[in-house]
Structure formats: structure tokens, C-alpha cells
Amino acid sequence: MAFELPKLDYAYDALEPHIDARTMEIHHTKHHAAYTTNLNNGISGTEFEGKTIGQILANISKASAAVRNNGGGYYNHNLFWKVMGPNGGGAPTGDLLDALNKYFGSFDKFKEAFSNAAATRFGSGWAWLVKSGNELKVTSTPNQDNPLMDIAEVKGTPILGIDVWEHAYYLKYQNRRPDYIAAFWNVINWDEVARRLKE
Ligand code: MN
């Protein structure tokens, strides 16, 4: 079974004005589509063919650069579309808020740590909130790497992630990555992040 580009749960313009429709459309139909196609091509005829994306990422040190880059790109964008939504933003509640308070001191301190990880990731990459054992941690990864990869410095299961590649924001925000990061807080689907925390 080949990996397939997932459909979004909302329209390309649903995250306006925070993330513009043109960026969303190109990001999904060009970038994510290419990662998906290139992942399928990269695993074809290798030991990774037929494996789940989780199995591939957990053994990525044995994979080609193409599988590392495109397998990461496939997984990371699947998560990214889900943790955003048209009625997003605000603050989390319940167990997720309790956990953020416990590991970061407060929701505002968590926001600061996550925003800082996103802003200071040099070049292209991602910032993450991960479940790591019983803890929550903020980390960032270069390129299309992620914390599920066996090569990650900080390992864990991502429950929130922000894409800080220029293709994620340049059309609307040009070089102003901090403005894009600030806008991201308005589109986070906290119900989905909470669901991933429980999983
Ligand atoms: Mn991207």
C-alpha cells in the first residue's frame, strides 16, 4: 500500500487571515504531495516497503537520505494540518493545560518556550511539543527530521508542531518568521493536541 496525500479537514482559506489560502494550497498540493510521492519512490524495493510510517521513522538511521527527508516531510505535514483548524486558538483546557502547567510552569511559559524553539531553529525545520515518557518537552529539528526518528536528539511523540520552512510563511510574511509564529497561536486546534496527548 502506497502512502497517500491526505485531504485537509477544512478549506484552504479557512485559516485566513493568519495563514493565507495560497500558501496553504501550494503547501498541500505541491510540497506535501511531493514528499508523499518521493517517499513512495524512495522505499520502493527496499526493506521499508510495506512498513508503517512509524516503523520507518523509528529506523530512519538505516534509510536513504531521500526516505529520511520525504518520510519526515510526509509525517510532519500530516500532523501539521491536523493540529490547525478554522476555530482554533485560545488556550487549552483540562489535562493538557494541567500538563503544560506542570512541565513549563504556565501556558504562557510554554508559549514562550515553543515560540523560541521555532524562532531560533536556524534555516529550515520544525518546532515540537512532544510526549517523552511521562513528560512534555519542547524541541526542534532541522529539515524534515522529527522526534520519532531514531536519530533525533530529543525523542518523543509529537503532539504539536510548527513548520518553520520559508515555504510555510514567505508569501504572506516574507522574512518575518516571528510574525508567522505569533499568528500560528490563532489557528491551533487544541482539541486535537489534547487527543494526541491521551493517545
Ligand atoms: Mn512544509
Side-chain angles (χ1 to χ4, degrees):
M1 277 302 293
F3 292 106
E4 286 180 12
L5 180 69
K7 288 194 165 50
L8 300 197
D9 298 329
Y10 43 83
Y12 290 126
D13 64 1
L15 307 182
E16 295 265 12
H18 310 292
I19 300 181
D20 62 287
R22 185 80 178 125
T23 295
M24 287 295 296
E25 184 176 0
I26 295 171
H27 204 168
H28 181 240
T29 64
K30 304 295 184 195
H31 294 275
H32 197 187
Y35 296 128
T36 306
T37 300
N38 292 331
L39 170 61
N40 286 325
N41 291 339
I43 60 175
S44 176
T46 77
E47 61 178 304
F48 293 107
E49 194 169 0
K51 297 284 196 272
T52 66
I53 190 63
Q55 290 168 329
I56 293 171
L57 297 175
N59 293 284
I60 209 73
S61 59
K62 298 177 200 132
S64 65
V67 170
R68 176 173 168 177
N69 292 331
N70 293 291
Y74 170 76
Y75 174 91
N76 295 347
H77 291 84
N78 282 2
L79 177 142
F80 189 52
W81 311 134
K82 288 286 187 186
V83 298
M84 298 190 293
N87 300 306
T93 55
D95 291 347
L96 176 57
L97 180 61
D98 291 346
L100 293 173
N101 286 336
K102 179 174 177 186
Y103 291 106
F104 300 98
S106 67
F107 176 58
D108 281 345
K109 288 212 171 108
F110 158 69
K111 274 180 80 170
E112 196 182 313
F114 185 90
S115 296
N116 189 51
T120 58
R121 165 50 57 189
F122 184 77
S124 297
W126 293 73
W128 306 100
L129 173 64
V130 300
K131 257 195 314 191
S132 182
N134 289 325
E135 280 182 64
L136 291 183
K137 294 178 182 172
V138 163
T139 185
S140 77
T141 52
N143 305 314
Q144 295 294 355
D145 287 358
N146 68 48
L148 290 172
M149 292 181 172
D150 59 356
I151 48 155
E153 262 175 62
V154 175
K155 293 183 188 63
T157 303
I159 63 171
L160 176 66
I162 181 173
D163 185 346
V164 295
W165 283 59
E166 284 185 344
H167 69 227
Y169 62 86
Y170 210 87
L171 288 181
K172 182 175 175 74
Y173 295 99
Q174 293 81 50
N175 61 320
R176 303 186 307 278
R177 189 192 289 186
D179 291 357
Y180 158 68
I181 296 167
F184 178 69
W185 295 101
N186 297 310
V187 297
I188 297 175
N189 177 356
W190 288 114
D191 289 344
E192 175 65 15
V193 181
R195 193 189 66 73
R196 287 169 186 261
L197 175 68
K198 281 205 178 73
E199 220 171 45

